[in-house]
Amino acid sequence: MNSMLQMGGNTVLSSPKGYVTVSYDMSHLIDISLTAFLLTDSDKVQGDSGIIFYNQPKSPSGAAALLPAENKGTRKVHTIQFDMSKVPAGIHKIAITLTEDNHMGFSSVKNLKAEICTGHTTIELTPSSFTKENGIVVLELYVRNGQIKAKSIWRGFESGVEGLCKNYGVEVDSTEDIKPAETKTVQPAAAENKQFQSTITLEKVKGKISLDKGQKPVIIEKTPQITATVSWKTGTDYDIYALVYTKDGRQIDVAMFGASGTPPLRSFANGAVEHMGDVRRDYSSTKTEVIKLRLNNDILAVVPVVYSAQSNGTGSFYRYKVSMSIDNHSGTSVTISAKNANNDDRIYTCVPGILHNTPDGVIISPLELYSSPDSEYRPKLRMGPSNMVEVVMDAGPRNDYK
């Protein structure tokens, strides 16, 4: 059974558990993230565990879980599962929110809608128009007189993430010290261009680690030399390059081939970031290219990029099983695989993850970002509102025809 819920309206749900989807028309101009806040009766979070977002996708109690976003035709779909029977003591409400992280605002988002699905019932929520808002409270799930209810909100904030955090009692810090310890409380690295300014505990890891999209970042020991190795099954000729973001706000592209207004550059800062050479097609079963890192204090972040040049012979990142491994050559390696790529040969650029250079180690965040179909434009790096470097896809110079 399908029904509509108008803005400001509320309704009783048929089950305490189900899922909420938010969907909209895809555009390379916008970057939207969904976040859930688990709230007390005073509409405040109890702590970091009450924020469910890209880098912390599950609540410990099982009350809410954020699933990876999906592309369905021309639509982008975000999904969060909920089970109101599992909300922890003191929690009375779950607020589902959105932020638009490219600062284009929700006026640029076309055909936005939300749906609540419980059992065989689907309830559709559609907002009125927005103007400058880049943060929205979409709906609330709550318990009232023993009944599970939902309310359609669609209230906007021009201050986006900061407005939502302030609204729900999350402390917003512009900077935070990183103190030496095996487990460190630091700002989480940017993920799919998203950043929440609450503290998240990151673990300094050792050994062989595998990170998937949606997992929170990890820290590895910073050694004199770190390598970022990208591998794929033979059959196509990928090219690897690195984007470097410096303390003075510059982006340096270390690449064996140029882009519009950006000449080739094999090595930066006396080998601080160095491409170890282009690998051509051959008969080996696996191909690799390597970026060598000797991180100095002037480098804030490094983003390895995998490129499937149109003139090189394209090949989907899923079909050729692309993965990136970060190795500090001191017993620790972190691997990120392109598990969420589709089989589209028209997607030319993949960003597996980002490395943030800190005094106490290298923070590695799994991103798995992909360019728009047919786009030859490089990603662009920028400083986010919480002093962490972010990746914006398709916003840089156009790659030279090879």
Side-chain angles (χ1 to χ4, degrees), residues 374-386:
D374 298 319
S375 173
E376 294 275 5
Y377 291 93
R378 291 183 180 181
K380 183 178 181 180
L381 306 185
R382 69 182 181 195
M383 181 58 70
S386 57

Side-chain angles (χ1 to χ4, degrees), residues 13 46 49 140 230 232 267 289 294 296 369:
L13 300 183
Q46 289 182 326
S49 62
E140 293 175 346
V230 175
W232 64 93
S267 179
E289 284 193 14
R294 304 175 182 91
N296 59 45
L369 302 178

